């Protein structure tokens, strides 16, 4: 399990990320980028059987750039992200054939493939430049090929996120502006149990709710707080750069070298 923060009762969050996709949502200043992205990927890059692919064509280097040494691929341009997602899509069948040939219906530790994490920061801008139908196909297929796609955004309404994609995502919701926004960031279970991220807005950065597979039922509507990466904002990026440098990713120059 990764440990991206602490529950309200101070127990550590233990979250197994394989086998599903995730939506991360929160307003500007809620710390969804540093609280979710850095704590999630900060754990994943330490695993010997994972590969991380990142994209951010909106903020460029600001969020994912500090992790660059640990990322197997990172794109900040429209052409780059289209190429990366196209390449990932093109590798899916080979991976599923590989797993099938070993009698496996899904990825498992030790199967011989690295598990893929694909982090799309400010994903609405990315979805605007890619083939939506093909992306939806990738979302459906990559899970059984050993991959998770994380889509991070501020508001997950139908203008920002295809409905067919949103329905396949676990929900990780940070502070939001109002109750209407909360409807897009929470699962029905969380809403029925009284989760109210609109009370935080961006005044309690790092506070969130997480409803995903492997999260105990009694904690799905319990607040959690993500870890910080320094006592001051100006410490965050130097600290992450130093941390990520300890876990360098192997370069991949062609599809034949992709894990």
């Amino acid at each position: 399990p990764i440990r991206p923060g602490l529950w309200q009762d101070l127990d550590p969050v233990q979250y197994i990320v394989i086998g599903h996709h995730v939506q991360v949502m929160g307003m500007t200043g809620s710390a969804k980028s540093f609280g979710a992205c850095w704590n999630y990927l900060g754990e994943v890059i330490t695993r010997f059987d994972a590969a991380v692919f990142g994209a951010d064509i909106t903020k460029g280097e600001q969020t994912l750039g500090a992790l660059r040494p640990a990322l197997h691929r990172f794109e900040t341009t429209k052409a780059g992200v289209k190429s990366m997602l196209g390449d990932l899509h093109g590798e899916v069948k080979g991976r599923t054939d590989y797993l099938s040939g070993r009698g496996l219906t899904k990825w498992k530790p030790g199967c011989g493939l690295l598990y893929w994490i694909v982090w799309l920061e400010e994903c609405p801008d990315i979805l605007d430049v890619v083939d939506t139908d093909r992306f939806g196909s990738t979302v459906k297929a990559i899970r059984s090929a050993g991959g998770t796609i994380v889509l991070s955004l501020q508001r997950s309404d139908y203008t920002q996120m295809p409905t067919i994609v949103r329905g396949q995502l676990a929900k990780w919701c940070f502070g939001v502006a109002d109750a209407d926004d909360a409807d897009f960031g929470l699962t029905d279970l969380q809403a029925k149990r009284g989760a109210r991220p609109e009370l935080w807005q961006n005044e309690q950065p790092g506070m969130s709710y997480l409803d995903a597979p492997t999260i105990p039922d009694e904690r799905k509507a319990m607040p959690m707080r993500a870890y910080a990466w320094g006592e001051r904002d100006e410490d965050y990026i130097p600290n992450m750069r130093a941390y990520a440098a300890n876990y360098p990713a192997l370069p991949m120059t062609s599809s034949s070298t992709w894990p």
Side-chain angles (χ1 to χ4, degrees):
I2 69 168
R3 296 165 296 170
L6 296 175
W7 296 113
Q8 184 172 258
D9 61 6
L10 300 185
D11 282 349
V13 178
Q14 297 189 59
Y15 172 28
I16 297 174
V17 302
I18 64 172
H20 62 278
H21 306 305
V22 189
Q23 169 187 290
V24 177
M25 198 185 105
M27 67 185 297
T28 299
S30 65
K32 68 176 172 58
S33 295
F34 301 109
C37 180
W38 281 19
N39 284 298
Y40 185 111
L41 296 184
E43 287 269 273
V44 168
I45 63 175
T46 70
R47 307 308 199 256
F48 68 88
D49 53 359
V52 180
F53 306 87
D56 188 343
I57 65 175
T58 307
K59 296 181 295 184
E61 297 280 337
Q62 188 177 48
T63 299
L64 287 164
L67 289 109
R68 185 182 280 277
L71 304 180
H72 285 73
R73 188 168 173 179
F74 175 42
E75 301 291 348
T76 61
T77 67
K78 294 178 181 179
V81 73
K82 288 173 70 175
S83 172
M84 183 183 78
L85 291 175
D87 290 345
L88 288 168
H89 182 86
E91 295 290 324
V92 166
K93 184 176 184 297
R95 288 170 65 89
T96 54
D97 285 348
Y98 173 92
L99 293 171
S100 177
R102 284 153 181 77
L104 299 173
T105 60
K106 58 185 179 181
W107 185 92
K108 63 179 289 186
C111 69
L113 295 177
L114 297 184
Y115 193 82
W116 285 355
I117 302 292
V118 185
W119 191 285
L120 304 181
E121 187 72 8
E122 301 296 343
C123 71
D125 291 340
I126 292 172
L127 297 179
D128 281 345
V129 302
V130 301
D131 183 310
T132 304
D133 290 339
R134 191 178 191 192
F135 180 75
S137 175
T138 301
V139 170
K140 288 185 286 186
I142 201 172
R143 184 182 63 82
S144 59
T148 284
I149 297 178
V150 183
L151 298 105
S152 178
L153 72 170
Q154 295 183 27
R155 191 176 195 270
S156 183
D157 64 27
Y158 73 94
T159 68
Q160 305 293 303
M161 174 84 72
T163 303
I164 192 171
V165 172
R166 187 173 64 222
Q168 301 182 57
L169 306 175
K171 301 292 178 61
W172 193 355
C173 188
F174 286 71
V176 298
D178 52 45
D180 288 340
D181 283 3
D183 288 341
F184 296 106
L186 300 173
T187 63
D188 289 343
L189 181 148
Q190 289 173 316
K192 290 175 181 177
R193 293 185 182 178
R196 298 189 63 189
E198 70 272 19
L199 298 181
W200 300 326
Q201 297 190 341
N202 57 9
E203 298 298 319
Q204 296 189 57
M207 294 295 293
S208 64
Y209 297 101
L210 175 60
D211 185 350
T214 77
I215 298 299
D217 182 75
E218 68 273 14
R219 296 187 184 271
K220 291 181 177 180
M222 179 184 288
M224 60 170 282
R225 186 185 289 277
Y227 295 116
W229 284 82
E231 294 185 4
R232 305 174 303 164
D233 286 349
E234 54 266 39
D235 296 331
Y236 279 30
I237 290 178
N239 287 347
M240 174 50 87
R241 282 178 177 160
Y243 176 83
N246 293 320
Y247 304 99
L250 294 175
M252 293 183 291
T253 58
S254 71
S255 62
S256 63
T257 63
W258 282 32

